[in-house]
Amino acid sequence: MPERVLEIHALSPLLFRDGRPFSAADGTETAARSLNLPLPSTVAGFVRTQVGLAEGKGFSQEQLQNLHGLQVCGPLLARGDEVLLPAPRDAVVYGGADGSPQVMKLTPFSPPDGAGCDLPDGLLPLQVTQDVKPESGYNFWPAHEMERWLLGETVIPQKISGLPTETRVHVGMDHEKGKAQEGQLFSVAYRPLEMGKNPQTYQPASLRVRLSLPNGQTPAPIGHLGGERRPVAVEVKPSLSDYWFDCPEAIKKRFAELGKGARVRLVLATPALFEQGWKPGWVEKSGTGELHLPRGLARVRLRLVSAAVGRREPVSGWNLRQNQPKRVRWMAPAGSVYFFEVEDGNPADLLESWLRPVSDSEQDRKDGFGLALWGVW
Amino acid sequence: MQAKMIFWQALTPVHPGTGQDSSSVIDLPVAREAATGFPVIPASSLKGVLRDGRGLEKNDESEEAAIARRVFGYAGKKKKSDSEEEEDISQAAELTLTDARVLFLPVRSYAGTFAFLTCPLVLERLKRDQKALGLPELKASIPNPGQTDALLAQNTQIVHGDKVILEDIDLSAKVGGADALAQELGKLVFGEEAGYFVERFALVSNDVFAYFCEMGMEIIARVRLKSDTKTVERGGLWYEEAIPAETVFSSFAIGKSGFDEINRPYIQIGGQASVGRGLLRRLGVKYES
């Protein structure tokens, strides 16, 4: 089936609510905040809406089931023509003695005899070689720097903090009296899809999504994404490889040399939903040939050695069909790193899931939770 | 869904305030974009002004209120006329507006009274948005002026000697350097009044434009007097920032219908309405529904 890359281009600053309460009641916050990037489910819902609108068949039950089954991979943040990926959590950027940034690489560490730790059975801690305070603002890495990091090289990344925040204060006007209404003063933090602080550092940004369109549909070109029905434009890119971050040849070559006992690493490009919270449920099932595993993992048996997982993030939302809130689930954040050892199978098969979702549930994978980047350690 | 392009020109200085304290000497700064620092009129302000409070009273059953709810949206419930039951009459807005961004900024000029400044970044963003929305793009090429250059139309009024002197910046005048662009923009935005615009058009570098977006705003000092002694009250001196008169903004309206709602000859937007701030006139063609 044909796969396409969609580029989402904002016409106004966008609002990606983080789910915190936002009401006029006393004592609660009267500020809405934005996530750094929209959730995969937000973008998947947007893409399916655009495809459904373009087809013009309405949204019947059968149509909804078809749309719900569309595979959406994303979103990735692009700055100009360059794909940016969330910073891996096994890289700690700190200021060196001369003030320039340095990187500490966290790797699994076997404690000597007589020492131990309270991690779950079989898991190793990560070794911290420098007692330093991490620098802030290194939230995204360019794709070419991530490639080198995945190959095990030491990388000093560019400082890219992500989309700026634009805070606006809103008032509701009393039409008769011409003054602000009581309790209708609130602020909202938006995310313009642009980067920089002035025209010298200005760069346009966009969101990119890869999706399968089994019947050759084309999404509607204009739509609304995120809170407050903010307008965005959608462009279907003709060439898949030019606009997506395909698996680099260097990584393919490196994985072709690996065999049993190889040590591989998984970095999440979007947040992932696992049955056990931070831990992928497919670890025990990998290599068994069981059905419904993420692509490429049915033939390679992996053992989880260690993990660098950021603070968990909630995802919930509103179920439009049943008209009720969704239950809150907890995501492993983007940038989380899992260290594996290959026990059986050909490690090169893992690359079949390059930038494809590896969440546990089939529908979460279709929504784009947990895009995978593979490397070595 | 279709999109329409709207141009607004300030007839008096516009103060779209930020609603929060400023860290600088300006007490009431104007809203600016995060990524560029250019002044902006938020889309929510535009929407509120165009709606003008219509359709917000839930018991209003008039045709005008129904149209306003359909075009601008509504959230609320209403009792049914035949029972005590409440029904939800919420609906999403049919019309979507984007922020009004600065397109041409007037800056005082030694010759010709003032110049309409723009820069490649502003025009490239406009062109990008036009393309994304399926509107016809600017045809003329956008030259890239040097840091000390001002590209002008052939028929220009703002040259003194071989220089364009703006406030405290002297730029080398390149007469005719952007004539095709000036003519196209003049026709697109001003129509029959294009001459008044073309004579003052100047394409400057992104940095010069950013400098005037920062330093070229009107700063208005105001005082509040004690009524009996006619002296200034304690704490009664404050500074307001405003986008100067003659500035041109561009924005877009997106939707299936409801475009006739933007056919107003003028609107008042932003703060300080009672001292005349914020009159904008609508430029460009009228739209059917």
Side-chain angles (χ1 to χ4, degrees), chain A residues 64-119:
Chain A
L64 282 178
Q65 268 174 347
N66 289 339
L67 291 171
H68 218 54
L70 278 185
Q71 171 70 64
V72 180
C73 300
L76 297 184
L77 180 64
R79 180 182 68 174
D81 285 329
E82 180 183 42
V83 171
L84 304 179
L85 297 161
R89 309 245 173 187
D90 58 346
V92 180
V93 184
Y94 62 97
D98 57 350
S100 65
Q102 304 292 322
V103 171
M104 165 170 47
K105 187 186 292 188
L106 306 179
T107 52
F109 169 72
S110 295
D113 286 347
C117 65
D118 62 357
L119 288 175

Side-chain angles (χ1 to χ4, degrees), chain B residues 78-219:
Chain B
K78 186 175 83 69
K79 279 187 163 60
K80 282 181 178 175
S81 50
D82 56 344
S83 71
E84 283 304 298
E85 229 173 84
E86 271 193 337
E87 61 169 340
D88 191 356
I89 56 173
S90 303
Q91 51 187 309
E94 209 168 69
L95 193 70
T96 297
L97 297 161
T98 69
D99 297 341
R101 296 176 180 156
V102 171
L103 182 58
F104 309 128
L105 182 72
V107 173
R108 186 166 42 173
S109 174
Y110 188 82
T113 315
F114 68 91
F116 276 117
L117 295 197
T118 191
C119 70
L121 177 58
V122 162
L123 297 178
E124 275 152 18
R125 288 169 94 207
L126 180 74
K127 196 168 173 176
R128 178 192 71 187
D129 289 350
Q130 284 171 323
K131 180 186 176 188
L133 290 167
L135 295 169
E137 293 171 57
L138 291 178
K139 295 184 185 63
S141 65
I142 301 173
N144 225 307
Q147 204 83 331
T148 58
D149 293 338
L151 308 191
L152 312 170
Q154 198 66 46
N155 182 26
T156 181
Q157 296 279 341
I158 58 177
V159 175
H160 179 77
D162 61 344
K163 289 199 174 302
V164 176
I165 304 175
L166 304 168
E167 301 266 15
D168 52 357
I169 287 186
D170 293 2
L171 301 170
S172 301
K174 311 289 187 193
V175 179
D179 189 66
L181 185 61
Q183 301 290 347
E184 186 182 358
L185 288 169
K187 186 177 302 182
L188 175 69
V189 179
F190 286 95
E192 291 170 1
E193 302 178 33
Y196 135 90
F197 163 78
V198 170
E199 290 166 1
R200 294 176 169 80
F201 176 80
L203 184 69
V204 296
S205 76
N206 295 338
D207 295 325
V208 170
F209 189 81
Y211 171 80
F212 282 115
C213 283
E214 180 73 27
M215 307 302 292
M217 299 292 109
E218 250 183 79
I219 308 296

Side-chain angles (χ1 to χ4, degrees), chain A residues 289-312:
Chain A
E290 185 172 322
L291 296 177
H292 302 304
L293 290 182
R295 193 190 285 219
L297 291 167
R299 300 190 297 276
V300 186
R301 191 188 327 148
L302 299 170
R303 179 173 70 90
L304 184 61
V305 174
S306 189
V309 184
R311 180 176 297 163
R312 64 180 186 174

Side-chain angles (χ1 to χ4, degrees), chain A residues 9-13 53 164-170 173 175 181 190 192-205 221-224 229-235, chain B residues 1-3 18-20 32-38 40 42-44 52-54 56 92-94 96-99 101 121 125 128-129 131-133 147 206-207 210 252 254:
Chain A
H9 160 70
L11 299 156
S12 274
L53 288 173
T165 297
E166 192 172 316
T167 302
R168 297 182 177 182
V169 178
H170 295 270
M173 300 300 290
H175 178 58
Q181 289 172 354
Y190 297 96
L193 274 190
E194 285 156 340
M195 286 185 179
K197 288 175 181 151
N198 49 59
Q200 269 168 344
T201 59
Y202 172 88
Q203 294 198 56
I222 302 174
H224 302 93
R229 280 171 56 84
R230 294 252 146 184
V232 295
V234 173
E235 185 182 357
Chain B
M1 286 260 252
Q2 45 179 332
T18 59
Q20 48 198 323
R32 293 173 182 272
E33 286 184 311
T36 59
F38 296 165
V40 72
S44 53
D52 202 18
R54 290 174 290 145
L56 291 175
E94 209 168 69
T96 297
L97 297 161
T98 69
D99 297 341
R101 296 176 180 156
L121 177 58
R125 288 169 94 207
R128 178 192 71 187
D129 289 350
K131 180 186 176 188
L133 290 167
Q147 204 83 331
N206 295 338
D207 295 325
F252 297 93
I254 300 159

Side-chain angles (χ1 to χ4, degrees), chain B residues 8-15 104-108 113-117 190 196 200 216-220 241-249 276-281:
Chain B
W8 306 95
Q9 187 181 31
L11 300 177
T12 63
V14 191
H15 175 68
F104 309 128
L105 182 72
V107 173
R108 186 166 42 173
T113 315
F114 68 91
F116 276 117
L117 295 197
F190 286 95
Y196 135 90
R200 294 176 169 80
M217 299 292 109
E218 250 183 79
I219 308 296
I220 302 151
E241 193 178 31
I243 307 170
E246 307 288 335
T247 305
V248 177
F249 302 88
R277 309 269 180 260
L279 278 185
L280 297 177
R281 70 162 172 158

Side-chain angles (χ1 to χ4, degrees), chain A residues 147-300:
Chain A
E147 173 189 343
R148 291 172 52 213
W149 182 259
L150 293 170
L151 288 168
E153 301 172 23
T154 300
V155 177
I156 310 289
Q158 296 174 42
K159 185 165 187 172
I160 303 174
S161 56
L163 302 173
T165 297
E166 192 172 316
T167 302
R168 297 182 177 182
V169 178
H170 295 270
V171 294
M173 300 300 290
D174 188 325
H175 178 58
E176 286 180 358
K177 296 174 183 169
K179 69 178 185 69
Q181 289 172 354
E182 186 90 19
Q184 291 288 327
L185 177 72
F186 57 98
S187 65
V188 183
Y190 297 96
R191 297 285 184 181
L193 274 190
E194 285 156 340
M195 286 185 179
K197 288 175 181 151
N198 49 59
Q200 269 168 344
T201 59
Y202 172 88
Q203 294 198 56
S206 60
L207 300 174
R208 290 190 186 162
V209 177
R210 174 184 186 164
L211 70 158
S212 320
L213 293 163
N215 299 315
Q217 309 102 310
T218 302
I222 302 174
H224 302 93
L225 174 63
E228 294 186 2
R229 280 171 56 84
R230 294 252 146 184
V232 295
V234 173
E235 185 182 357
V236 180
K237 292 300 187 179
S239 171
L240 187 68
S241 297
D242 290 339
Y243 296 96
W244 199 244
F245 179 45
D246 287 329
C247 184
E249 288 302 318
I251 291 184
K252 286 180 182 174
K253 188 183 303 182
R254 184 62 174 271
F255 268 67
E257 298 164 2
L258 303 178
K260 187 188 291 191
R263 308 194 303 186
V264 298
R265 155 168 62 149
L266 162 69
V267 180
L268 295 177
T270 59
L273 280 157
F274 298 128
E275 289 162 10
Q276 299 174 62
W278 67 272
K279 185 181 177 185
W282 41 259
V283 172
E284 279 99 26
K285 306 168 190 168
S286 64
T288 60
E290 185 172 322
L291 296 177
H292 302 304
L293 290 182
R295 193 190 285 219
L297 291 167
R299 300 190 297 276
V300 186

